[in-house]
C-alpha cells in the first residue's frame, strides 16, 4: 500500500521530482512528525494512530504557492 505525504521545504531547489528520500521520525507528546534527511523538509504532525511505517520514498511533486515550497512524496508501506 502506498502512502502519500506532503512536506514543507524552506528553500527552492533542495529536492526534485524523482529524488529518493529517507525520513527520520520525531516524537511529540501526542504526535509524530517526519523530516526528510538531512533536514531538507518537514511534515505536519500526525496522531499516533497514523504513524508511518516506511522510511524511504520517492518525491512525486515539488510546488511553490503563496505559503512556500511543498514536496509530495510516496512511501510504500507493507502492512
Amino acid at each position: 500500500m502506498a502512502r502519500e505525504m506532503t512536506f514543507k521545504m524552506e528553500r527552492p531547489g533542495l529536492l526534485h521530482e524523482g529524488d529518493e528520500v529517507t525520513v527520520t521520525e520525531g516524537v511529540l507528546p501526542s504526535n509524530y512528525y517526519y523530516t526528510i534527511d538531512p533536514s531538507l523538509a518537514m511534515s505536519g504532525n500526525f496522531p499516533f494512530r497514523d504513524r508511518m511505517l516506511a522510511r524511504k520514498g520517492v518525491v512525486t511533486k515539488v510546488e511553490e504557492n503563496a505559503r512556500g515550497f511543498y514536496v509530495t512524496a510516496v512511501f510504500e508501506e507493507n502492512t
Side-chain angles (χ1 to χ4, degrees), residues 63-74:
E63 61 186 342
E64 179 182 5
N65 63 32
R67 298 182 72 189
F69 301 94
Y70 290 85
V71 175
T72 303
V74 173

Side-chain angles (χ1 to χ4, degrees), residues 15-79:
L15 293 166
H16 303 90
E17 290 182 18
D19 285 353
E20 291 185 14
V21 295
T22 303
V23 296
T24 300
E25 181 178 75
V27 181
L28 298 170
S30 60
N31 294 297
Y32 290 108
Y33 65 92
Y34 300 92
T35 305
I36 295 178
D37 295 330
S39 298
L40 300 176
M42 182 178 281
S43 74
N45 295 335
F46 292 89
F48 288 147
R49 69 179 178 276
D50 294 332
R51 183 179 191 186
M52 187 169 73
L53 303 175
R55 294 293 177 259
K56 293 185 184 280
V58 177
V59 174
T60 58
K61 182 170 48 171
V62 178
E63 61 186 342
E64 179 182 5
N65 63 32
R67 298 182 72 189
F69 301 94
Y70 290 85
V71 175
T72 303
V74 173
F75 300 86
E76 290 296 326
E77 292 191 330
N78 300 324
T79 55

